[in-house]
Amino acid sequence: MRAAILVLLLALGGCTATDDEPAPAPRSGLVWSNDDGVFVLDGDQPRRLGRYHNEQVAVAADSRSGAVVVSDDFPSSGDDELVIWATGGGEARVPCGRCQGVAIAGDEVRTAEANLIRRFARSDGRFLGSILAHPPRAVSEPIVSPQEVIAATPEVTVLEYVIDEPGRYNAFYAMDANGSVRWEHVVGGTLPVHQYAVDPTGTTLAFSTGTSSVDADMESWPVLLDLATGQVKPLPPLPVGPDALSMVSDLAWNGPNLVVVSTVGPRGDTTRAGDGTSALFERRGDQWDRHAAADTAQLRPLPGGGLARVNNPFKELEITEHGTIRTLSGSGFILGSPTPGDAVPLDWPE
């Protein structure tokens, strides 16, 4: 038994490379789900992590480890597991009740259960303690969803919940290690918040929010939030034109650039997914560049110059490097991906 534990700790300890270790394939750390479960690409091979995922997936900045909460049934019956994996096969599984969301900050993995932030060692899954994290509005406003970890830095853990004011609004707040609330941000818009993505520096959170109007038009847009202050960072609107609406389907970082995949269609005609066409936008500095995005539902830049995408209409998950396309899964959905430190070309090969 002691030998087996030692092997596990050594494997998980591989999160930090030595000079003698070969670097993992750049695409390692891509996480997706399909009808067969939740998978991570470990080198060239998919590795199954569980049956169903519970909201967010975290991939470390160095792509050598990640974490996800999984369950055997949907909706969860409360027997969830926090899975912390390392590329090369190391894995720790920790019973985690009804944990919601997950984030990696330095050497820690953090998740939320009820009003607690639970902390675990990224290296081996050891429990490091809990932080009491009551929502700032818990006394005056009813909470209508469990708290969920969506991002973290070494200083704070960022959680999301939903409140009635009246109406339903998403709200974020940041809790520090002493149990104090550093900031709160109530998100404008009436549509649920989606597609969380933290930039390579670990300082900025991108997400999408939107509205649904009385005439059934729906639109959504990206937002940037400073994780240290909770303040919104300036971001020009997507260049879709005054007579068009955009519904964001995916967000990712391409080095310092934000990449948005969106469905764009005329106003009054975007209540169904098939009413618009796919568009791919990349923010470079203060402006948006538009790329060709035919048949693309999701697109993720990968370290080393590769790309992963889910295509339309068949929802196949594909990956490309050096002009070669490989299909990883039919009817898949990307849950998380390693983020390149530098921007890579976004042109998908014909």
Side-chain angles (χ1 to χ4, degrees):
M1 174 64 71
R2 292 179 62 186
I5 294 174
L6 179 61
V7 169
L8 174 61
L9 294 181
L10 288 174
L12 283 167
C15 296
T16 302
T18 68
D19 293 339
D20 297 327
E21 291 177 340
R27 55 189 175 274
S28 292
L30 180 69
V31 186
W32 70 92
S33 67
N34 59 27
D35 290 341
D36 296 319
V38 180
F39 296 84
V40 59
L41 191 63
D42 191 350
D44 256 341
Q45 299 301 317
R47 174 149 55 107
R48 192 175 187 273
L49 300 175
R51 184 73 183 94
Y52 300 101
H53 75 286
N54 193 346
E55 300 305 331
Q56 305 308 310
V57 172
V59 179
D62 60 11
S63 305
R64 289 181 171 269
S65 62
V68 62
V69 178
V70 297
S71 61
D72 289 331
D73 46 21
F74 183 82
S76 169
S77 61
D79 296 324
D80 297 355
E81 286 184 314
L82 172 66
V83 181
I84 305 171
W85 76 85
T87 54
E91 186 176 286
R93 291 179 175 267
V94 182
C96 207
R98 295 184 180 275
C99 287
Q100 296 285 327
V102 66
I104 294 175
D107 295 328
E108 289 189 13
V109 175
R110 302 175 192 168
T111 185
E113 187 172 16
N115 289 328
L116 295 174
I117 298 169
R118 301 187 64 186
R119 302 165 46 242
F120 300 89
R122 176 184 161 197
S123 60
D124 57 14
R126 286 178 296 111
F127 180 60
L128 300 176
S130 298
I131 302 170
L132 189 62
H134 287 294
R137 300 181 179 227
V139 175
S140 59
E141 305 291 348
I143 306 300
V144 296
S145 74
Q147 297 168 98
E148 175 183 342
V149 171
I150 58 173
T153 71
E155 292 77 26
V156 298
T157 305
V158 181
L159 302 101
E160 178 197 19
Y161 65 104
V162 179
I163 57 178
D164 282 342
E165 285 201 310
R168 294 172 65 94
Y169 294 91
N170 292 85
F172 304 151
Y173 70 104
M175 182 71 64
D176 66 19
N178 297 318
S180 298
V181 176
R182 290 281 189 92
W183 53 259
E184 183 191 19
H185 176 78
V186 177
V187 182
T190 56
L191 293 179
V193 174
H194 287 299
Q195 292 100 22
Y196 306 97
V198 177
D199 77 327
T201 69
T203 61
T204 301
L205 174 69
F207 61 93
S208 69
T209 186
T211 60
S212 177
S213 63
V214 293
D215 56 0
D217 276 344
M218 291 191 297
E219 62 180 326
S220 62
W221 52 85
V223 179
L224 299 182
L225 199 70
D226 186 294
L227 291 177
T229 65
Q231 298 297 309
V232 173
K233 293 185 174 184
L235 187 65
L238 294 175
V240 298
D243 297 324
L245 294 178
S246 169
M247 284 292 294
V248 176
S249 62
D250 199 40
L251 286 176
W253 289 92
N254 186 20
N257 303 333
L258 181 64
V259 175
V260 176
V261 181
S262 181
T263 300
V264 178
R267 289 186 177 273
D269 193 30
T270 59
T271 57
R272 296 182 302 275
D275 288 338
T277 58
S278 295
L280 176 64
F281 302 96
E282 182 178 18
R283 190 203 68 166
R284 295 177 176 271
D286 294 330
Q287 67 179 24
W288 291 100
D289 292 341
R290 186 163 179 168
H291 300 261
D295 306 324
T296 299
Q298 290 182 283
L299 183 76
R300 298 295 175 93
L302 302 176
L307 296 172
R309 79 165 184 176
V310 173
N311 64 30
N312 270 328
F314 303 109
K315 299 299 186 290
E316 292 176 322
L317 172 58
E318 303 171 316
I319 191 169
T320 180
E321 285 183 306
H322 311 298
T324 300
I325 300 174
R326 173 188 172 193
T327 300
L328 292 178
S329 169
S331 190
F333 185 82
I334 298 173
L335 301 176
S337 60
T339 301
D342 299 313
V344 304
L346 298 183
D347 298 324
W348 190 265
E350 298 293 334

